């Protein structure tokens, strides 16, 4: 980024955009980077919800380097919080719990055999009174006397033929219903899809036609009898009429199988595949309203700019970040119409390189996660097929976005659980892409060597304690108000000391910072602040002399008050001096400078520019100093973002290790972040890294929580309490022994017990609605597999999702 040619040894001032980390920005816009490892835009719709949820298939992965226009046209329907929206397809309706395949097959076989037996008994006359219903509705002279007498006349014989056909139809229908043949067909034929469905239906149709024309099934003769009774027997003297009747019978038998086999749909699909549409006929209507045609520019009357961007997209000279950046730039320009012409001219002149990020970068050097820059989502995993997860979420992708991070996120898991690689880094990567699109600013804080991303993926890289660091950190947050600087610095220095009141500590610091700034025009450096807090006579005398010479009488009263309070009971100055001494080490020589030539990086720039900042802390040699600095950065971030007036830029702080960084004041600050379009991501090894009095406030302040595999039952208990309970239906089965009263029944029971070895029992089922924890402490500690986490999400608007078991794939 441009720093007006005044780049110092370390860092930049708060009111300038800091220079980028090595390498420096190019003089000309860079070429669009080649597709990197990981998801790239342009894949066809990918998020298909499987009927049986499971691992993602290769077909669901976006194709690297696919065209941006296809990526733009991919649907992104609105969904519940955390659903990966790119190419999402709703799941099929949940199937009720049915019988097993074995029971289904046995039931169908028994029903079929029973129907065949019944029909055989009917045809052979073994069923008594079988003709009584027919004789009640037909003349008596048609029948021989007696209940079993058969037909006497031709009319009676014809009536019996039709009667048998009706009974056969009723028997076939009852057999199909009792044997559940429809479910059997759906499971083993229809679910296999085409062309198996069509072939199976064709085979069944051929077999049925054979049985019909062999008169094994009573179809042809009853139809001929009915036609003769209506039109007269003379109609069969014409062979043409007979052929037509036979053709109608064959078509009527064939029609149900054609419907079952979906023959018409299969033929239409094959014709559509074999006959491609002429060029331009099918694509033209869709292209007129598709996203890759930039309809928002055309609606505003800038058709030339829209044509330019459309050509850039079609020829592959734009990537997904360019699209998101230009869309955001156009949205901002519409709020100030005087900028529309300038943006349109820049588009006509430079195409997809218009409105570039100040660093000149158009993409990250490489990506390790799947991103959808258009919606700001990053996919971190897939919801597991687990009873704890709702059916509609099983198998769907889980993604994070600014609407979720705006409520802040707390991730808890032991070392090696995957917090950094599978959650923190994808989030930092997604925010860096949003920053390149001009929509976010990110500050990532971690230990030296933490895998938060390469140096060239950030604009500012601060390596505290490293002599080669090009940037520094402003301990005072870039403010000129001594009281504000004292409050934030006190929170960072002694906010974790429960025996000290941070407000008294802030008062002590203000009594020193105000006079020093009035005398010297800037705040003291670390060695000078340490001397003032220690009450060194030479330092206090020199400051007093400078104030007297400049005539700052109000500040002299502040200094006199500090001198009177020094050494008294409960004076926080010694504790403050001890904490400042942690930063006054040889490794930090030259850092935290405050003189007129010093230009440290100030967090205040995060609220003004879409910056990508990474801070590396010296955790190995200076663990306590690293925790102090982490606490200070968190306090500065919450204070600075809460005081912003322009909240269009989403600001996010990511702490890879927030151990001992959370204080009562920062918890209140985190709670205020969601109202100023900002958020914080905190990673902890255990909740006990936070003071016990802050466990409940912290879990209540953040909207998103993640419990990784391997947490303790104590941590699991806190998450279980925070996530609450839900109503579930329980079934209790009690078995009671059956005592028979009749001798024959007792004999049957004795025989059954002799064969099975178990007494005859009956089941008493009790169904109740009870309130249970969504996840118990034991389940969180022992039932979460490795590489998984239970994640609960909530949006700034108040929407929330239940805790979901997620397989993390980073």
């Amino acid at each position: 980024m441009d720093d007006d040619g005044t780049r110092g040894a370390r860092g930049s001032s708060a009111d300038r955009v800091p220079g980028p980390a090595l390498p420096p920005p190019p003089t000309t816009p860079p070429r669009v980077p080649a597709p990197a490892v990981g998801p790239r835009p342009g894949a066809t719709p990918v998020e298909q919800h499987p009927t049986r949820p499971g691992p993602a298939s290769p077909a669901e992965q976006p194709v690297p380097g696919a065209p941006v226009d296809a990526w733009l046209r991919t649907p992104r329907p609105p969904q519940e919080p955390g659903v990966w929206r790119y190419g999402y397809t709703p799941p099929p309706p949940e199937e009720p719990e049915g019988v097993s395949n074995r029971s289904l097959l046995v039931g169908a076989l028994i029903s079929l055999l029973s129907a065949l037996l019944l029909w055989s008994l009917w045809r052979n006359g073994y069923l008594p009174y079988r003709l009584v219903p027919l004789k009640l509705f037909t003349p008596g002279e048609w029948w021989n006397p007696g209940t079993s007498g058969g037909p006497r006349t031709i009319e009676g014989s014809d009536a019996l033929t039709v009667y048998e056909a009706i009974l056969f139809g009723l028997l076939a229908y009852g057999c199909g219903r009792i044997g559940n043949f429809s479910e059997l067909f759906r499971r083993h034929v229809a679910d296999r899809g085409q062309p198996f469905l069509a072939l199976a239906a064709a085979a069944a149709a051929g077999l049925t036609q054979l049985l019909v024309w062999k008169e094994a099934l009573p179809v042809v003769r009853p139809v001929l009898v009915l036609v003769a009774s209506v039109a007269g027997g003379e109609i069969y003297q014409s062979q043409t009429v007979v052929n037509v009747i036979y053709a109608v019978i064959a078509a009527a038998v064939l029609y149900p199988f054609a419907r079952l086999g979906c023959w018409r749909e299969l033929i239409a699909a094959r014709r559509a595949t074999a006959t491609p549409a002429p060029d331009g006929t099918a694509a033209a209507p869709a292209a007129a309203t598709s996203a890759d045609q930039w309809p928002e520019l055309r609606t505003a009357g800038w058709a030339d700019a829209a044509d330019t961007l459309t050509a850039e997209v079609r020829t592959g000279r734009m990537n997904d970040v360019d699209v998101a950046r230009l869309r955001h730039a156009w949205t901002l320009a519409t709020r100030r119409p005087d900028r529309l012409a300038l943006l349109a001219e820049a588009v006509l002149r430079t195409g997809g390189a218009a409105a570039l990020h100040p660093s000149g970068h158009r993409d990250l050097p490489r990506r390790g996660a799947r991103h959808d820059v258009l919606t700001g989502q990053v996919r971190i995993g897939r919801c597991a097929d687990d009873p704890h997860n709702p059916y509609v979420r099983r198998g769907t992708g889980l993604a994070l976005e600014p609407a979720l991070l705006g409520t802040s996120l707390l991730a808890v898991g032991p070392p090696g659980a995957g917090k950094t690689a599978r959650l923190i880094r994808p989030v930092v990567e997604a925010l860096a892409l949003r920053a390149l699109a001009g929509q976010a600013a990110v500050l990532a804080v971690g230990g030296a060597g933490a895998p938060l991303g390469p140096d060239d993926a950030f604009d500012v890289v601060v390596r505290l304690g490293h002599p080669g660091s090009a940037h520094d950190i402003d301990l005072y947050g870039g403010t000129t108000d001594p009281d504000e600087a004292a409050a934030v610095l006190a929170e960072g220095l002694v906010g974790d000391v429960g025996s000290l009141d941070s407000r008294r500590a802030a008062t002590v610091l203000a009594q020193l910072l105000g006079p020093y700034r009035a005398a010297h025009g800037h705040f003291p450096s670390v060695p000078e602040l340490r001397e003032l807090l220690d009450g060194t006579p030479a330092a206090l005398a020199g400051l007093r002399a400078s104030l007297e010479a400049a005539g700052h009488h109000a500040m002299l009263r502040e200094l006199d008050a500090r001198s009177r309070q020094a050494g008294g009971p409960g004076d926080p100055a010694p504790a403050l001096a001890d904490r400042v001494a942690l930063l006054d080490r040889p490794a930090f020589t030259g850092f935290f400078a405050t003189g007129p030539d010093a230009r440290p990086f100030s967090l205040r720039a995060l609220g003004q520019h879409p910056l990508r900042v990474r801070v590396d802390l010296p955790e190995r040699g200076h663990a306590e100093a690293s925790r102090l600095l982490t606490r200070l950065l968190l306090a500065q971030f919450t204070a600075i973002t809460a005081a912003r007036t322009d909240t269009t830029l989403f600001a996010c702080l990511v702490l890879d290790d927030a151990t001992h960084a959370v204080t009562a004041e920062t918890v209140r600050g985190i709670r205020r972040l969601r109202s100023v379009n900002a958020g914080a991501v905190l990673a902890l090894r255990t909740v006990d890294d936070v003071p016990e009095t802050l466990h409940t406030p912290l879990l209540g302040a953040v909207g998103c929580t993640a419990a990784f595999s391997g947490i303790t039952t104590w941590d699991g208990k806190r998450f279980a309490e925070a996530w609450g309970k839900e109503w579930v239906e329980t079934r209790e089965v009690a078995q009671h022994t059956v005592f028979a009263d009749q001798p024959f029944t007792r004999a049957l029971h004795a025989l059954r017990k002799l064969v099975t070895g178990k007494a005859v029992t009956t089941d008493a089922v009790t169904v109740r609605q009870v309130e249970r924890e969504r996840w118990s402490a034991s389940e969180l500690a022992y039932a979460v597999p490795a590489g998984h986490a239970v994640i609960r999400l909530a949006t700034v608007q108040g929407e929330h999702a239940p805790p979901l078991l997620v397989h993390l794939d980073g």
Side-chain angles (χ1 to χ4, degrees), residues 549-566:
H552 294 291
H553 301 291
M555 293 302 171
L556 279 172
R557 289 195 298 270
E558 287 284 294
L559 190 60
D560 291 338
R562 172 84 288 270
S563 299
R564 290 192 302 270
Q565 297 170 3

Side-chain angles (χ1 to χ4, degrees), residues 137-185:
F137 296 95
T138 54
E141 60 270 13
W142 289 4
W143 309 98
N144 292 319
T147 57
S148 301
R152 177 188 298 176
T153 63
I154 297 178
E155 290 82 359
S157 179
D158 293 342
L160 180 59
T161 300
V162 176
Y163 179 57
E164 287 183 345
I166 294 174
L167 289 180
F168 179 81
L170 294 175
L171 182 62
Y173 176 77
C175 174
R177 294 283 295 181
I178 296 175
N180 206 359
F181 278 86
S182 60
E183 178 67 14
L184 187 66
F185 175 80

Side-chain angles (χ1 to χ4, degrees), residues 555-592:
M555 293 302 171
L556 279 172
R557 289 195 298 270
E558 287 284 294
L559 190 60
D560 291 338
R562 172 84 288 270
S563 299
R564 290 192 302 270
Q565 297 170 3
D571 182 19
L576 290 171
D578 291 341
R579 289 300 178 89
V580 173
L582 295 174
L583 303 180
D584 189 17
R585 305 297 302 163
F588 299 120
T589 302
F591 286 84
F592 315 120

Side-chain angles (χ1 to χ4, degrees), residues 66-423:
V68 179
D69 53 352
W71 170 78
L72 268 173
R73 290 194 300 268
T74 302
R76 297 166 175 85
Q79 293 299 322
E80 297 179 2
V83 175
W84 174 252
R85 293 165 51 192
Y86 179 75
Y88 176 81
T89 301
E94 185 176 7
E95 299 178 1
E97 185 176 354
V99 297
S100 62
N101 289 332
R102 179 179 178 180
S103 299
L104 193 64
L105 291 171
V106 171
L109 182 60
I110 292 176
S111 175
L112 179 61
L113 294 178
S114 300
L116 292 176
L117 176 62
L118 189 61
W119 182 247
S120 177
L121 294 175
W122 167 271
R123 292 296 299 268
N124 292 289
Y126 288 107
L127 296 180
Y129 311 107
R130 63 190 185 96
L131 300 181
V132 172
L134 180 59
K135 292 180 179 181
L136 292 177
F137 296 95
T138 54
E141 60 270 13
W142 289 4
W143 309 98
N144 292 319
T147 57
S148 301
R152 177 188 298 176
T153 63
I154 297 178
E155 290 82 359
S157 179
D158 293 342
L160 180 59
T161 300
V162 176
Y163 179 57
E164 287 183 345
I166 294 174
L167 289 180
F168 179 81
L170 294 175
L171 182 62
Y173 176 77
C175 174
R177 294 283 295 181
I178 296 175
N180 206 359
F181 278 86
S182 60
E183 178 67 14
L184 187 66
F185 175 80
R186 187 190 64 80
R187 287 192 190 182
H188 298 282
V189 180
D191 284 353
R192 296 193 178 187
Q194 299 288 12
F196 181 83
L197 175 60
L199 294 176
L207 178 61
T208 305
Q209 290 281 8
L210 179 62
L211 296 177
V212 166
W213 297 112
K214 291 290 186 180
E215 296 190 1
L217 300 180
V219 176
V220 177
R221 188 177 296 275
V223 171
L224 297 177
V225 169
L226 289 175
V227 172
S229 63
V230 173
E234 297 81 5
I235 192 173
Y236 295 122
Q237 295 179 0
S238 173
Q239 186 62 37
T240 303
V241 173
V242 174
N243 292 338
V244 170
I245 294 175
Y246 285 167
V248 171
I249 293 174
V253 173
L254 197 63
Y255 178 75
F257 296 97
R259 291 290 302 272
L260 289 175
C262 301
W263 293 353
R264 175 186 293 181
E265 292 81 357
L266 180 62
I267 294 174
R270 293 300 176 90
R271 286 181 177 177
T273 305
T275 309
D279 294 341
T281 58
T289 56
S290 60
D292 62 320
Q293 292 287 315
W294 302 86
E296 60 272 17
L297 273 70
R298 299 183 187 276
T299 304
W302 298 96
D304 293 342
D307 292 338
T308 300
L309 294 180
T310 301
E312 293 273 303
V313 169
R314 295 288 174 84
T315 55
R317 292 195 296 268
M318 286 181 64
N319 61 10
D320 54 348
V321 179
D322 295 330
V323 173
R325 185 186 69 251
L326 289 174
R327 282 195 167 193
H328 179 67
W330 181 261
T331 302
L332 295 180
T334 53
R335 301 174 185 174
R336 299 183 61 179
D338 56 313
R339 294 185 177 181
L340 289 176
L342 296 177
L343 179 60
E345 291 176 2
V347 169
L348 292 174
R349 185 176 62 256
T350 60
L356 270 180
H357 185 265
S359 66
H361 297 164
R362 298 172 65 177
D363 201 352
L364 297 179
R366 56 183 176 272
R367 304 186 189 182
R370 294 175 58 185
H371 299 272
D372 184 20
V373 187
L374 205 60
T375 58
Q377 288 190 316
V378 53
R379 188 181 183 280
I380 63 172
R382 177 180 290 274
C383 296
D385 183 12
D386 187 86
H388 287 92
N389 293 343
Y391 171 77
V392 294
R393 299 302 298 268
R394 298 175 192 173
T396 61
L398 189 83
L400 296 176
E401 56 184 308
L404 298 172
L405 299 178
T407 65
S408 299
L409 185 147
L410 176 66
V412 179
K419 300 188 301 297
T420 300
R422 301 185 179 185
L423 180 64

Side-chain angles (χ1 to χ4, degrees), residues 342 421 695 721:
L342 296 177
H695 289 175
E721 292 175 352

